[in-house]
Short mmCIF file of all heavy atoms in Angstrom, two decimals:
data_model
loop_
_atom_site.label_atom_id
_atom_site.label_comp_id
_atom_site.label_asym_id
_atom_site.label_seq_id
_atom_site.Cartn_x
_atom_site.Cartn_y
_atom_site.Cartn_z
N MET A 1 35.08 26.51 -53.69
CA MET A 1 36.47 26.55 -53.75
C MET A 1 37.06 27.39 -52.78
O MET A 1 36.69 28.62 -52.58
CB MET A 1 36.89 27.12 -55.22
CG MET A 1 38.34 27.00 -55.45
SD MET A 1 38.86 27.59 -57.00
CE MET A 1 37.92 26.77 -58.08
N SER A 2 38.05 26.92 -51.91
CA SER A 2 38.57 27.76 -50.86
C SER A 2 39.65 28.64 -51.38
O SER A 2 40.17 28.46 -52.50
CB SER A 2 39.17 26.73 -49.74
OG SER A 2 40.36 26.17 -50.31
N PRO A 3 39.96 29.68 -50.70
CA PRO A 3 41.04 30.71 -51.14
C PRO A 3 42.47 29.96 -51.50
O PRO A 3 43.12 30.35 -52.44
CB PRO A 3 41.26 31.65 -50.03
CG PRO A 3 39.85 31.68 -49.37
CD PRO A 3 39.26 30.28 -49.53
N ALA A 4 42.77 29.01 -50.73
CA ALA A 4 43.90 28.26 -50.91
C ALA A 4 43.98 27.48 -52.35
O ALA A 4 45.08 27.29 -52.89
CB ALA A 4 44.17 27.19 -49.82
N ASN A 5 42.80 27.25 -52.88
CA ASN A 5 42.71 26.57 -54.22
C ASN A 5 42.64 27.42 -55.39
O ASN A 5 42.69 26.99 -56.49
CB ASN A 5 41.52 25.60 -54.19
CG ASN A 5 41.59 24.40 -53.11
OD1 ASN A 5 42.76 24.05 -52.80
ND2 ASN A 5 40.50 23.99 -52.72
N ILE A 6 42.49 28.73 -55.07
CA ILE A 6 42.47 29.61 -56.26
C ILE A 6 43.82 29.71 -56.90
O ILE A 6 44.85 30.01 -56.27
CB ILE A 6 41.93 31.04 -55.77
CG1 ILE A 6 40.57 30.88 -55.15
CG2 ILE A 6 42.16 32.02 -56.85
CD1 ILE A 6 40.12 32.23 -54.61
N ASN A 7 43.78 29.59 -58.24
CA ASN A 7 44.93 29.71 -59.07
C ASN A 7 45.17 31.11 -59.67
O ASN A 7 44.32 31.47 -60.53
CB ASN A 7 45.15 28.58 -60.21
CG ASN A 7 46.37 28.55 -60.84
OD1 ASN A 7 47.08 29.57 -60.80
ND2 ASN A 7 46.64 27.55 -61.72
N GLU A 8 45.92 31.98 -58.88
CA GLU A 8 45.97 33.22 -59.13
C GLU A 8 46.40 33.52 -60.65
O GLU A 8 45.94 34.52 -61.25
CB GLU A 8 46.83 34.06 -58.31
CG GLU A 8 46.24 34.19 -57.02
CD GLU A 8 47.16 34.86 -55.96
OE1 GLU A 8 48.02 35.73 -56.51
OE2 GLU A 8 47.13 34.64 -54.65
N LYS A 9 47.25 32.76 -61.18
CA LYS A 9 47.77 32.98 -62.56
C LYS A 9 46.81 32.83 -63.60
O LYS A 9 46.88 33.35 -64.67
CB LYS A 9 49.11 32.02 -62.74
CG LYS A 9 50.31 32.35 -61.98
CD LYS A 9 51.42 31.52 -62.29
CE LYS A 9 52.68 31.95 -61.52
NZ LYS A 9 53.79 31.30 -61.87
N ASN A 10 45.75 31.93 -63.38
CA ASN A 10 44.77 31.61 -64.30
C ASN A 10 43.52 32.48 -64.11
O ASN A 10 42.73 32.51 -65.06
CB ASN A 10 44.50 30.07 -64.37
CG ASN A 10 45.62 29.29 -64.82
OD1 ASN A 10 46.21 29.59 -65.87
ND2 ASN A 10 45.81 28.16 -64.36
N MET A 11 43.54 33.00 -62.96
CA MET A 11 42.29 33.78 -62.63
C MET A 11 42.19 35.13 -63.56
O MET A 11 43.12 35.95 -63.57
CB MET A 11 42.17 34.18 -61.16
CG MET A 11 40.90 34.92 -60.78
SD MET A 11 40.92 35.23 -59.04
CE MET A 11 40.60 33.82 -58.30
N PHE A 12 41.19 35.23 -64.23
CA PHE A 12 40.97 36.47 -65.02
C PHE A 12 42.02 36.69 -66.07
O PHE A 12 42.46 37.80 -66.43
CB PHE A 12 40.73 37.68 -64.24
CG PHE A 12 39.70 37.65 -63.17
CD1 PHE A 12 40.04 37.86 -61.96
CD2 PHE A 12 38.38 37.30 -63.59
CE1 PHE A 12 39.01 37.77 -60.91
CE2 PHE A 12 37.38 37.13 -62.64
CZ PHE A 12 37.62 37.54 -61.26
N ARG A 13 42.70 35.52 -66.58
CA ARG A 13 43.78 35.69 -67.51
C ARG A 13 43.48 36.42 -68.76
O ARG A 13 44.40 36.86 -69.55
CB ARG A 13 44.37 34.34 -67.79
CG ARG A 13 43.49 33.38 -68.65
CD ARG A 13 44.29 32.23 -68.85
NE ARG A 13 43.35 31.18 -69.56
CZ ARG A 13 42.84 30.13 -69.09
NH1 ARG A 13 43.10 29.86 -67.75
NH2 ARG A 13 42.05 29.26 -69.76
N ASN A 14 42.15 36.47 -69.24
CA ASN A 14 41.88 37.11 -70.52
C ASN A 14 41.64 38.65 -70.29
O ASN A 14 41.22 39.30 -71.18
CB ASN A 14 40.52 36.48 -70.98
CG ASN A 14 40.82 35.12 -71.38
OD1 ASN A 14 41.88 34.73 -71.77
ND2 ASN A 14 39.75 34.20 -71.12
N TYR A 15 41.97 39.03 -69.07
CA TYR A 15 41.73 40.54 -68.83
C TYR A 15 43.10 41.26 -68.63
O TYR A 15 44.16 40.59 -68.35
CB TYR A 15 40.96 40.90 -67.61
CG TYR A 15 39.53 40.46 -67.61
CD1 TYR A 15 39.07 39.17 -67.37
CD2 TYR A 15 38.60 41.37 -68.10
CE1 TYR A 15 37.68 38.80 -67.56
CE2 TYR A 15 37.20 41.07 -68.34
CZ TYR A 15 36.85 39.82 -67.94
OH TYR A 15 35.51 39.48 -68.09
N PRO A 16 43.22 42.57 -69.06
CA PRO A 16 44.49 43.23 -69.07
C PRO A 16 44.84 43.37 -67.41
O PRO A 16 44.12 43.19 -66.62
CB PRO A 16 44.29 44.55 -69.75
CG PRO A 16 42.83 44.81 -69.60
CD PRO A 16 42.19 43.39 -69.66
N ASP A 17 46.05 43.78 -67.26
CA ASP A 17 46.59 44.12 -65.79
C ASP A 17 45.85 45.30 -65.16
O ASP A 17 45.65 45.32 -63.89
CB ASP A 17 48.04 44.32 -65.80
CG ASP A 17 48.94 43.10 -66.16
OD1 ASP A 17 48.32 42.04 -66.09
OD2 ASP A 17 50.05 43.29 -66.62
N ILE A 18 45.37 46.19 -65.91
CA ILE A 18 44.59 47.40 -65.51
C ILE A 18 43.23 47.22 -66.23
O ILE A 18 43.11 47.21 -67.35
CB ILE A 18 45.31 48.70 -65.76
CG1 ILE A 18 46.67 48.79 -65.11
CG2 ILE A 18 44.38 49.79 -65.23
CD1 ILE A 18 46.89 48.75 -63.67
N VAL A 19 42.18 47.16 -65.40
CA VAL A 19 40.90 46.96 -65.91
C VAL A 19 40.00 48.21 -65.62
O VAL A 19 40.28 48.93 -64.86
CB VAL A 19 40.00 45.65 -65.41
CG1 VAL A 19 40.96 44.44 -65.77
CG2 VAL A 19 39.82 45.72 -63.75
N THR A 20 38.98 48.26 -66.48
CA THR A 20 37.89 49.33 -66.45
C THR A 20 36.80 48.99 -65.54
O THR A 20 36.68 47.70 -65.15
CB THR A 20 37.38 49.68 -67.87
OG1 THR A 20 36.67 48.62 -68.28
CG2 THR A 20 38.41 50.02 -68.75
N VAL A 21 35.96 49.88 -65.16
CA VAL A 21 34.76 49.58 -64.42
C VAL A 21 33.95 48.53 -65.18
O VAL A 21 33.40 47.64 -64.59
CB VAL A 21 33.98 50.81 -64.08
CG1 VAL A 21 32.60 50.49 -63.34
CG2 VAL A 21 34.74 51.75 -63.34
N SER A 22 33.72 48.67 -66.48
CA SER A 22 32.98 47.67 -67.28
C SER A 22 33.49 46.34 -67.22
O SER A 22 32.75 45.31 -67.07
CB SER A 22 32.93 48.07 -68.76
OG SER A 22 32.15 49.26 -68.93
N GLN A 23 34.74 46.11 -67.27
CA GLN A 23 35.51 45.06 -67.14
C GLN A 23 35.33 44.36 -65.85
O GLN A 23 35.15 43.15 -65.58
CB GLN A 23 36.97 45.00 -67.46
CG GLN A 23 37.19 45.45 -69.06
CD GLN A 23 38.56 45.73 -69.25
OE1 GLN A 23 39.23 46.35 -68.61
NE2 GLN A 23 39.06 45.19 -70.54
N LEU A 24 35.43 45.22 -64.79
CA LEU A 24 35.28 44.77 -63.43
C LEU A 24 33.80 44.23 -63.24
O LEU A 24 33.65 43.01 -62.62
CB LEU A 24 35.31 46.03 -62.43
CG LEU A 24 35.10 45.63 -60.98
CD1 LEU A 24 35.99 44.64 -60.21
CD2 LEU A 24 35.11 46.94 -60.18
N GLN A 25 32.90 44.83 -63.87
CA GLN A 25 31.48 44.33 -63.71
C GLN A 25 31.39 42.90 -64.41
O GLN A 25 30.78 41.99 -63.71
CB GLN A 25 30.55 45.19 -64.58
CG GLN A 25 30.27 46.55 -63.82
CD GLN A 25 29.36 47.49 -64.66
OE1 GLN A 25 29.86 48.45 -65.23
NE2 GLN A 25 28.14 47.07 -64.76
N GLU A 26 32.04 42.70 -65.46
CA GLU A 26 32.15 41.44 -66.06
C GLU A 26 32.78 40.31 -65.27
O GLU A 26 32.36 39.16 -65.23
CB GLU A 26 32.89 41.50 -67.59
CG GLU A 26 32.12 42.20 -68.54
CD GLU A 26 33.07 42.42 -69.85
OE1 GLU A 26 34.04 41.57 -69.86
OE2 GLU A 26 32.67 43.08 -70.59
N MET A 27 33.86 40.74 -64.72
CA MET A 27 34.73 39.84 -63.94
C MET A 27 33.96 39.26 -62.66
O MET A 27 34.01 38.09 -62.25
CB MET A 27 36.00 40.58 -63.54
CG MET A 27 36.88 40.88 -64.50
SD MET A 27 38.18 42.11 -64.07
CE MET A 27 39.51 40.94 -63.46
N LEU A 28 33.19 40.15 -62.08
CA LEU A 28 32.46 39.81 -60.88
C LEU A 28 31.10 39.58 -61.07
O LEU A 28 30.35 39.21 -60.08
CB LEU A 28 32.79 40.89 -59.76
CG LEU A 28 34.15 41.18 -59.34
CD1 LEU A 28 34.18 42.14 -58.41
CD2 LEU A 28 34.90 39.85 -58.80
N ASN A 29 30.55 39.76 -62.38
CA ASN A 29 29.10 39.60 -62.71
C ASN A 29 28.28 40.42 -61.68
O ASN A 29 27.37 39.89 -60.93
CB ASN A 29 28.79 38.07 -62.52
CG ASN A 29 27.39 37.85 -63.18
OD1 ASN A 29 27.00 38.51 -64.06
ND2 ASN A 29 26.67 36.78 -62.59
N ILE A 30 28.55 41.68 -61.58
CA ILE A 30 27.85 42.65 -60.77
C ILE A 30 27.33 43.77 -61.53
O ILE A 30 27.85 43.96 -62.74
CB ILE A 30 28.72 43.09 -59.57
CG1 ILE A 30 29.95 43.87 -60.04
CG2 ILE A 30 29.09 42.06 -58.72
CD1 ILE A 30 30.90 44.56 -59.04
N GLY A 31 26.41 44.57 -61.01
CA GLY A 31 26.02 45.77 -61.76
C GLY A 31 26.86 46.95 -61.53
O GLY A 31 27.81 46.88 -60.78
N ARG A 32 26.66 47.97 -62.26
CA ARG A 32 27.40 49.18 -62.29
C ARG A 32 27.40 49.93 -60.94
O ARG A 32 28.45 50.33 -60.39
CB ARG A 32 26.74 50.21 -63.40
CG ARG A 32 27.51 51.40 -63.53
CD ARG A 32 27.12 52.08 -64.63
NE ARG A 32 27.67 53.48 -64.68
CZ ARG A 32 27.24 54.66 -65.36
NH1 ARG A 32 26.04 54.52 -65.97
NH2 ARG A 32 27.90 55.71 -65.29
N THR A 33 26.27 49.96 -60.33
CA THR A 33 26.17 50.67 -59.03
C THR A 33 26.88 49.95 -57.94
O THR A 33 27.63 50.58 -57.20
CB THR A 33 24.64 50.66 -58.60
OG1 THR A 33 23.89 51.42 -59.64
CG2 THR A 33 24.41 51.56 -57.17
N TYR A 34 26.79 48.65 -57.96
CA TYR A 34 27.68 47.94 -56.93
C TYR A 34 29.11 48.09 -57.14
O TYR A 34 29.97 48.20 -56.31
CB TYR A 34 27.19 46.41 -56.84
CG TYR A 34 27.81 45.63 -55.72
CD1 TYR A 34 27.39 46.05 -54.39
CD2 TYR A 34 28.70 44.77 -55.85
CE1 TYR A 34 27.98 45.47 -53.24
CE2 TYR A 34 29.24 43.95 -54.73
CZ TYR A 34 28.78 44.42 -53.51
OH TYR A 34 29.36 43.65 -52.41
N ALA A 35 29.57 48.08 -58.56
CA ALA A 35 30.91 48.10 -58.91
C ALA A 35 31.39 49.44 -58.35
O ALA A 35 32.55 49.43 -57.66
CB ALA A 35 31.09 48.02 -60.43
N TYR A 36 30.76 50.44 -58.49
CA TYR A 36 31.10 51.86 -57.99
C TYR A 36 31.21 51.96 -56.53
O TYR A 36 32.11 52.56 -55.94
CB TYR A 36 30.24 52.97 -58.70
CG TYR A 36 30.67 53.37 -59.95
CD1 TYR A 36 29.97 53.06 -61.11
CD2 TYR A 36 31.98 54.07 -60.29
CE1 TYR A 36 30.36 53.28 -62.49
CE2 TYR A 36 32.30 54.40 -61.52
CZ TYR A 36 31.48 54.05 -62.65
OH TYR A 36 31.91 54.44 -63.90
N LYS A 37 30.26 51.17 -55.89
CA LYS A 37 30.30 51.17 -54.34
C LYS A 37 31.58 50.50 -53.79
O LYS A 37 32.23 50.94 -52.88
CB LYS A 37 29.06 50.42 -53.88
CG LYS A 37 28.99 50.36 -52.43
CD LYS A 37 27.74 49.51 -52.01
CE LYS A 37 27.93 49.24 -50.39
NZ LYS A 37 26.86 48.13 -50.02
N LEU A 38 32.00 49.32 -54.54
CA LEU A 38 33.10 48.69 -54.20
C LEU A 38 34.38 49.61 -54.32
O LEU A 38 35.31 49.52 -53.56
CB LEU A 38 33.29 47.37 -54.97
CG LEU A 38 32.39 46.28 -54.80
CD1 LEU A 38 32.63 45.20 -55.80
CD2 LEU A 38 32.48 45.80 -53.30
N LEU A 39 34.42 50.28 -55.33
CA LEU A 39 35.52 51.23 -55.69
C LEU A 39 35.59 52.36 -54.76
O LEU A 39 36.64 52.70 -54.07
CB LEU A 39 35.48 51.66 -57.04
CG LEU A 39 35.55 50.63 -58.18
CD1 LEU A 39 35.43 51.05 -59.59
CD2 LEU A 39 37.02 49.89 -57.97
N LYS A 40 34.51 53.12 -54.52
CA LYS A 40 34.46 54.14 -53.62
C LYS A 40 34.71 53.88 -52.27
O LYS A 40 35.29 54.65 -51.53
CB LYS A 40 33.02 54.92 -53.66
CG LYS A 40 32.79 55.70 -55.09
CD LYS A 40 31.55 56.25 -55.20
CE LYS A 40 31.30 56.88 -56.55
NZ LYS A 40 29.99 57.41 -56.70
N ASN A 41 34.30 52.70 -51.86
CA ASN A 41 34.63 52.30 -50.39
C ASN A 41 36.10 51.51 -50.38
O ASN A 41 36.35 50.97 -49.21
CB ASN A 41 33.58 51.15 -49.95
CG ASN A 41 32.18 52.00 -49.71
OD1 ASN A 41 32.13 53.13 -49.50
ND2 ASN A 41 31.21 51.20 -49.92
N GLN A 42 36.76 51.57 -51.38
CA GLN A 42 38.14 50.94 -51.39
C GLN A 42 38.13 49.48 -51.05
O GLN A 42 39.12 48.92 -50.45
CB GLN A 42 39.12 51.71 -50.46
CG GLN A 42 39.50 53.07 -51.06
CD GLN A 42 40.37 52.92 -52.29
OE1 GLN A 42 41.22 52.17 -52.52
NE2 GLN A 42 40.18 53.93 -53.30
N GLU A 43 37.02 48.79 -51.35
CA GLU A 43 36.95 47.31 -50.98
C GLU A 43 37.78 46.70 -52.17
O GLU A 43 38.28 45.50 -51.98
CB GLU A 43 35.57 46.79 -51.20
CG GLU A 43 34.68 47.28 -49.87
CD GLU A 43 33.42 46.85 -49.86
OE1 GLU A 43 33.28 45.56 -49.70
OE2 GLU A 43 32.34 47.73 -49.70
N ILE A 44 37.92 47.33 -53.36
CA ILE A 44 38.86 46.75 -54.30
C ILE A 44 39.77 47.89 -54.56
O ILE A 44 39.41 48.99 -54.83
CB ILE A 44 38.06 46.50 -55.66
CG1 ILE A 44 37.12 45.27 -55.37
CG2 ILE A 44 39.13 46.18 -56.80
CD1 ILE A 44 36.35 44.86 -56.65
N TYR A 45 41.13 47.66 -54.45
CA TYR A 45 42.19 48.68 -54.63
C TYR A 45 42.05 49.23 -55.93
O TYR A 45 41.85 48.61 -57.08
CB TYR A 45 43.55 48.08 -54.44
CG TYR A 45 44.65 49.00 -54.72
CD1 TYR A 45 44.88 50.05 -53.72
CD2 TYR A 45 45.26 49.11 -56.00
CE1 TYR A 45 45.83 50.89 -53.95
CE2 TYR A 45 46.32 50.12 -56.17
CZ TYR A 45 46.48 50.95 -55.11
OH TYR A 45 47.47 51.99 -55.27
N ASN A 46 42.04 50.66 -56.03
CA ASN A 46 41.96 51.40 -57.29
C ASN A 46 42.53 52.74 -57.16
O ASN A 46 42.78 53.27 -55.94
CB ASN A 46 40.45 51.43 -57.75
CG ASN A 46 39.78 52.41 -56.74
OD1 ASN A 46 39.61 53.59 -56.92
ND2 ASN A 46 38.99 51.73 -55.80
N LYS A 47 42.77 53.48 -58.19
CA LYS A 47 43.25 54.82 -58.16
C LYS A 47 42.34 55.57 -59.16
O LYS A 47 41.95 55.02 -60.28
CB LYS A 47 44.65 54.95 -58.66
CG LYS A 47 45.70 54.53 -57.73
CD LYS A 47 45.84 55.44 -56.56
CE LYS A 47 46.92 55.03 -55.67
NZ LYS A 47 47.12 55.84 -54.51
N LYS A 48 41.92 56.77 -58.80
CA LYS A 48 41.14 57.53 -59.81
C LYS A 48 41.96 58.54 -60.37
O LYS A 48 42.69 59.18 -59.72
CB LYS A 48 39.86 58.20 -58.84
CG LYS A 48 38.90 58.83 -59.88
CD LYS A 48 37.59 59.22 -58.98
CE LYS A 48 36.63 59.64 -60.03
NZ LYS A 48 35.41 60.10 -59.31
N VAL A 49 42.04 58.50 -61.72
CA VAL A 49 42.87 59.42 -62.48
C VAL A 49 41.79 60.19 -63.37
O VAL A 49 41.14 59.68 -64.19
CB VAL A 49 43.81 58.58 -63.50
CG1 VAL A 49 44.56 59.50 -64.34
CG2 VAL A 49 44.76 57.64 -62.60
N GLY A 50 41.77 61.52 -62.91
CA GLY A 50 40.73 62.32 -63.62
C GLY A 50 39.35 61.72 -63.21
O GLY A 50 39.11 61.62 -62.04
N LYS A 51 38.46 61.38 -64.26
CA LYS A 51 37.27 60.93 -64.00
C LYS A 51 37.17 59.39 -64.00
O LYS A 51 36.15 58.79 -63.79
CB LYS A 51 36.18 61.45 -64.91
CG LYS A 51 35.98 62.97 -64.75
CD LYS A 51 34.94 63.51 -65.75
CE LYS A 51 34.68 64.92 -65.45
NZ LYS A 51 33.70 65.45 -66.30
N GLU A 52 38.27 58.73 -64.41
CA GLU A 52 38.37 57.26 -64.59
C GLU A 52 39.02 56.62 -63.44
O GLU A 52 39.91 57.02 -62.85
CB GLU A 52 39.10 57.06 -65.88
CG GLU A 52 38.43 57.58 -67.13
CD GLU A 52 39.23 57.03 -68.40
OE1 GLU A 52 40.04 56.15 -68.25
OE2 GLU A 52 39.02 57.75 -69.29
N TYR A 53 38.42 55.28 -63.13
CA TYR A 53 39.11 54.54 -62.16
C TYR A 53 40.06 53.59 -62.83
O TYR A 53 39.74 52.94 -64.01
CB TYR A 53 37.97 53.63 -61.36
CG TYR A 53 37.15 54.36 -60.49
CD1 TYR A 53 36.02 55.06 -60.76
CD2 TYR A 53 37.59 54.54 -59.10
CE1 TYR A 53 35.23 55.65 -59.80
CE2 TYR A 53 36.91 55.20 -58.23
CZ TYR A 53 35.60 55.78 -58.56
OH TYR A 53 35.01 56.36 -57.64
N LYS A 54 41.30 53.47 -62.30
CA LYS A 54 42.29 52.42 -62.76
C LYS A 54 42.31 51.41 -61.73
O LYS A 54 42.58 51.58 -60.53
CB LYS A 54 43.61 53.08 -62.92
CG LYS A 54 43.60 54.35 -63.83
CD LYS A 54 43.21 53.99 -65.26
CE LYS A 54 43.18 55.30 -66.12
NZ LYS A 54 42.90 54.89 -67.57
N ILE A 55 42.00 50.25 -62.21
CA ILE A 55 41.68 48.94 -61.29
C ILE A 55 42.77 47.97 -61.61
O ILE A 55 42.58 47.37 -62.60
CB ILE A 55 40.38 48.50 -61.20
CG1 ILE A 55 39.33 49.53 -61.19
CG2 ILE A 55 40.13 47.39 -60.26
CD1 ILE A 55 37.96 49.30 -61.83
N PRO A 56 43.77 47.79 -60.77
CA PRO A 56 44.79 46.67 -61.03
C PRO A 56 44.14 45.23 -60.84
O PRO A 56 43.24 45.12 -60.05
CB PRO A 56 45.71 46.73 -59.93
CG PRO A 56 45.67 48.16 -59.45
CD PRO A 56 44.11 48.49 -59.59
N LYS A 57 44.31 44.36 -61.86
CA LYS A 57 43.77 43.17 -61.81
C LYS A 57 43.92 42.27 -60.63
O LYS A 57 43.08 41.60 -59.88
CB LYS A 57 44.09 42.28 -63.00
CG LYS A 57 43.50 40.86 -63.03
CD LYS A 57 43.77 40.16 -64.36
CE LYS A 57 45.16 40.04 -64.69
NZ LYS A 57 45.40 39.36 -66.00
N ILE A 58 45.13 42.55 -59.96
CA ILE A 58 45.48 41.89 -58.75
C ILE A 58 44.57 42.35 -57.53
O ILE A 58 44.35 41.60 -56.73
CB ILE A 58 46.95 42.07 -58.38
CG1 ILE A 58 47.42 41.17 -57.28
CG2 ILE A 58 47.37 43.59 -58.05
CD1 ILE A 58 47.46 39.74 -57.64
N GLY A 59 44.15 43.60 -57.57
CA GLY A 59 43.23 44.09 -56.61
C GLY A 59 41.98 43.32 -56.61
O GLY A 59 41.24 43.04 -55.73
N VAL A 60 41.40 43.01 -57.79
CA VAL A 60 40.15 42.19 -57.97
C VAL A 60 40.44 40.75 -57.55
O VAL A 60 39.54 40.21 -56.85
CB VAL A 60 39.74 42.18 -59.53
CG1 VAL A 60 38.43 41.42 -59.68
CG2 VAL A 60 39.54 43.69 -60.12
N ILE A 61 41.52 40.23 -57.88
CA ILE A 61 41.91 38.85 -57.39
C ILE A 61 42.07 38.89 -55.83
O ILE A 61 41.40 37.97 -55.18
CB ILE A 61 43.16 38.35 -57.94
CG1 ILE A 61 43.02 38.15 -59.46
CG2 ILE A 61 43.77 37.06 -57.39
CD1 ILE A 61 44.38 37.93 -60.27
N GLU A 62 42.43 39.78 -55.26
CA GLU A 62 42.56 39.91 -53.88
C GLU A 62 41.13 40.01 -53.16
O GLU A 62 40.80 39.44 -52.19
CB GLU A 62 43.43 41.02 -53.39
CG GLU A 62 45.03 40.81 -53.62
CD GLU A 62 46.01 42.03 -53.53
OE1 GLU A 62 45.37 43.14 -53.09
OE2 GLU A 62 47.07 41.88 -53.59
N TYR A 63 40.43 40.78 -53.77
CA TYR A 63 38.97 40.94 -53.31
C TYR A 63 38.29 39.59 -53.34
O TYR A 63 37.61 39.24 -52.44
CB TYR A 63 38.22 42.09 -54.20
CG TYR A 63 36.77 42.03 -53.80
CD1 TYR A 63 36.23 42.80 -52.79
CD2 TYR A 63 35.75 41.47 -54.74
CE1 TYR A 63 35.00 42.82 -52.46
CE2 TYR A 63 34.54 41.41 -54.42
CZ TYR A 63 34.13 42.06 -53.32
OH TYR A 63 32.73 42.12 -53.03
N VAL A 64 38.40 38.90 -54.50
CA VAL A 64 37.77 37.62 -54.57
C VAL A 64 38.30 36.63 -53.58
O VAL A 64 37.51 35.88 -52.90
CB VAL A 64 38.06 36.96 -56.15
CG1 VAL A 64 37.51 35.45 -56.10
CG2 VAL A 64 37.29 37.71 -57.12
N LYS A 65 39.61 36.57 -53.27
CA LYS A 65 40.09 35.67 -52.29
C LYS A 65 39.65 36.05 -50.90
O LYS A 65 39.35 35.18 -50.11
CB LYS A 65 41.66 35.73 -52.32
CG LYS A 65 42.21 35.18 -53.50
CD LYS A 65 43.76 35.19 -53.63
CE LYS A 65 44.55 34.71 -52.59
NZ LYS A 65 45.93 34.96 -52.67
N ARG A 66 39.49 37.37 -50.56
CA ARG A 66 39.05 37.81 -49.26
C ARG A 66 37.46 37.40 -49.02
O ARG A 66 37.15 37.06 -47.95
CB ARG A 66 39.16 39.22 -49.04
CG ARG A 66 40.42 39.73 -48.62
CD ARG A 66 40.32 41.21 -48.18
NE ARG A 66 39.67 42.07 -49.01
CZ ARG A 66 39.96 42.76 -50.01
NH1 ARG A 66 41.26 42.75 -50.44
NH2 ARG A 66 39.22 43.60 -50.79
N ASN A 67 36.80 37.36 -50.20
CA ASN A 67 35.38 37.06 -50.05
C ASN A 67 34.95 35.72 -50.51
O ASN A 67 33.77 35.53 -50.70
CB ASN A 67 34.65 38.18 -50.84
CG ASN A 67 34.89 39.58 -50.18
OD1 ASN A 67 34.25 39.85 -49.21
ND2 ASN A 67 35.69 40.42 -50.85
N GLU A 68 35.90 34.84 -50.63
CA GLU A 68 35.44 33.44 -51.13
C GLU A 68 34.91 32.73 -50.06
O GLU A 68 35.26 32.72 -48.88
CB GLU A 68 36.83 32.86 -51.69
CG GLU A 68 36.65 31.71 -52.68
CD GLU A 68 35.76 31.71 -53.64
OE1 GLU A 68 35.46 32.79 -54.41
OE2 GLU A 68 35.02 30.75 -53.86
#
């Protein structure tokens, strides 16, 4: 599927607007180490609040579209 065919409104619709690292792992079917690598390298937009990452779902969608 090309990025033009991705329906953003339906993508990850069962997830909240701000996701956790565990949810990110589920969404992308990746391991914990790789999830943290993506976040630390800012490949997926996020903010760190205290010890927790706050990951906007739209950042995950943008990552998928860039890497499709």
Side-chain angles (χ1 to χ4, degrees):
M1 185 182 304
S2 71
N5 294 334
I6 294 174
N7 185 343
E8 291 179 25
K9 289 184 180 187
N10 290 324
M11 184 181 282
F12 305 126
R13 69 175 175 255
N14 296 326
Y15 289 92
D17 290 339
I18 303 294
V19 299
T20 64
V21 175
S22 295
Q23 290 169 323
L24 173 65
Q25 289 176 248
E26 290 174 15
M27 294 165 86
L28 299 180
N29 194 29
I30 59 175
R32 183 175 173 200
T33 302
Y34 192 64
Y36 280 108
K37 178 183 174 189
L38 292 174
L39 298 174
K40 288 178 183 176
N41 293 336
Q42 289 291 317
E43 293 184 51
I44 295 176
Y45 177 78
N46 68 86
K47 288 286 184 181
K48 195 167 183 185
V49 179
K51 293 182 178 183
E52 294 183 17
Y53 284 95
K54 303 297 182 183
I55 310 156
K57 179 169 56 175
I58 191 68
V60 181
I61 292 169
E62 290 171 356
Y63 172 79
V64 169
K65 287 174 61 177
R66 277 194 315 270
N67 292 286
E68 204 36 50

